Amino acid sequence: MRVVVGSTNPTKVEGTKLAFEQFFDNVEVIGKSVSSDVSPQPFNDDTIRGAINRALRSYSKDFDFSVGIEAGLFSLKKSITGFIDFQVAVVYNGKRMSIGFGPGFEFPPRVVEEALKGREVGDVMEEITGIENIGERMGAVHYLTRGVISRIELTRIAVTMALIPWINKDLYDL
């Protein structure tokens, strides 16, 4: 099975590979640089739109599936900061798509305040942690969970959720 991810971020490529390998044999996953056509720090529906755009723009008939992944902040009134970060995954086969979310978490208030001013959460987390390219290495979630959850694992879970219809085709009329 050949899969293309609409990103060259190693955490997204590896997380996607781990997700597909849970259900399919002989999985090859490659990353492809495509535009999400949303803000570098998306909020709410733009996060979903970014993941969809990445899946659609990376797909070609050379692949069985394409995957778009986008992390963004979603409004949630009862949270500490008013926002929860979710990673959204879209799996596309050239005809139909499915969407899944990874577990959500809150960034520290300072990070959200800066994101609302137009900065990317990754840039702010780099300043806080001193870890360069944190989003392409272990992810901010790894730092915030003290090493318990990595961005690869967050991606694996989001892609796994998006794969549910594909591994249960009879239940979804696929």
Side-chain angles (χ1 to χ4, degrees):
M1 170 170 295
R2 297 193 74 224
V3 180
V4 61
V5 179
S7 172
T8 57
N9 183 321
T11 63
K12 292 180 180 183
V13 174
E14 182 63 21
T16 297
K17 186 176 190 316
L18 292 172
F20 273 82
E21 286 178 339
Q22 297 171 118
F23 308 107
F24 304 101
D25 295 324
N26 302 317
V27 177
E28 176 190 4
V29 178
I30 66 157
K32 179 179 180 182
S33 182
V34 297
S35 171
S36 67
D37 205 26
V38 298
S39 164
Q41 181 51 65
F43 286 83
N44 301 310
D45 288 345
D46 275 352
T47 310
I48 299 166
R49 191 164 54 90
I52 291 170
N53 288 345
R54 288 181 185 279
L56 293 174
R57 290 177 179 166
S58 61
Y59 182 80
S60 77
K61 292 186 182 202
D62 296 333
F63 299 97
D64 298 293
F65 291 101
S66 62
V67 177
I69 300 161
E70 195 74 43
L73 296 171
F74 288 78
S75 300
L76 189 63
K77 291 181 183 177
K78 300 287 183 185
S79 62
I80 294 168
T81 63
F83 294 91
I84 299 290
D85 184 88
F86 284 105
Q87 190 148 267
V88 180
V90 173
V91 175
Y92 179 61
N93 74 343
K95 295 178 186 167
R96 298 193 64 189
M97 68 178 66
S98 59
I99 299 174
F101 281 67
F105 67 94
E106 284 204 60
F107 274 104
R110 174 180 163 201
V111 176
V112 174
E113 288 166 11
E114 291 297 316
L116 290 169
K117 294 176 187 174
R119 295 189 64 203
E120 288 185 56
V121 295
D123 293 340
V124 182
M125 285 301 296
E126 283 182 23
E127 288 175 9
I128 290 171
T129 65
I131 302 168
E132 198 171 314
N133 296 319
I134 192 169
E136 293 187 5
R137 295 172 73 190
M138 73 281 294
V141 70
H142 189 265
Y143 178 84
L144 294 170
T145 62
R146 299 182 180 184
V148 173
I149 301 287
S150 70
R151 188 167 188 194
I152 290 171
E153 180 66 1
L154 209 59
T155 300
R156 184 194 65 79
I157 294 168
V159 175
T160 300
M161 296 300 102
L163 280 171
I164 287 174
W166 303 105
I167 62 173
N168 295 286
K169 290 181 180 185
D170 56 323
L171 297 175
Y172 291 85
D173 296 325
L174 292 177

